[in-house]
Amino acid sequence: MEVTYRGHQSLLWKADYASLYLNLFDDLDPVYVEQIPYLEDANVDCMFLLSRKRPATTLSGQRVQGG
């Protein structure tokens, strides 16, 4: 969905980012999701917290320091 921001078009958009991240990275699990409705119209924002299922690794399979 395209959003007008301070009179500008085609700069921002809204999307279901939690689902996008979950579809892109199979090592994520949703921990917390909350829908926050706007006061002045029918729009809704989403706040989410994701957690890794396993330690982060590089493309070569090595464990990331601190991960």
Side-chain angles (χ1 to χ4, degrees):
M1 177 172 112
E2 188 173 308
V3 178
T4 301
Y5 178 70
R6 296 185 180 183
H8 298 279
Q9 295 286 340
S10 303
L11 295 180
L12 302 173
W13 62 92
K14 296 182 83 150
D16 184 356
Y17 289 102
S19 292
L20 291 173
Y21 283 119
L22 291 169
N23 289 332
L24 284 172
F25 304 100
D26 61 354
D27 65 339
L28 294 176
D29 276 329
V31 174
Y32 180 79
V33 178
E34 182 177 342
Q35 300 286 328
I36 305 166
Y38 284 31
L39 297 176
E40 62 275 353
D41 55 34
N43 285 320
V44 176
D45 278 335
C46 181
M47 178 174 60
F48 60 91
L49 176 64
L50 305 175
S51 164
R52 283 194 176 143
K53 295 179 188 176
R54 59 184 181 269
T57 57
T58 63
L59 293 176
S60 63
Q62 296 177 342
R63 188 169 179 188
V64 174
Q65 185 106 10

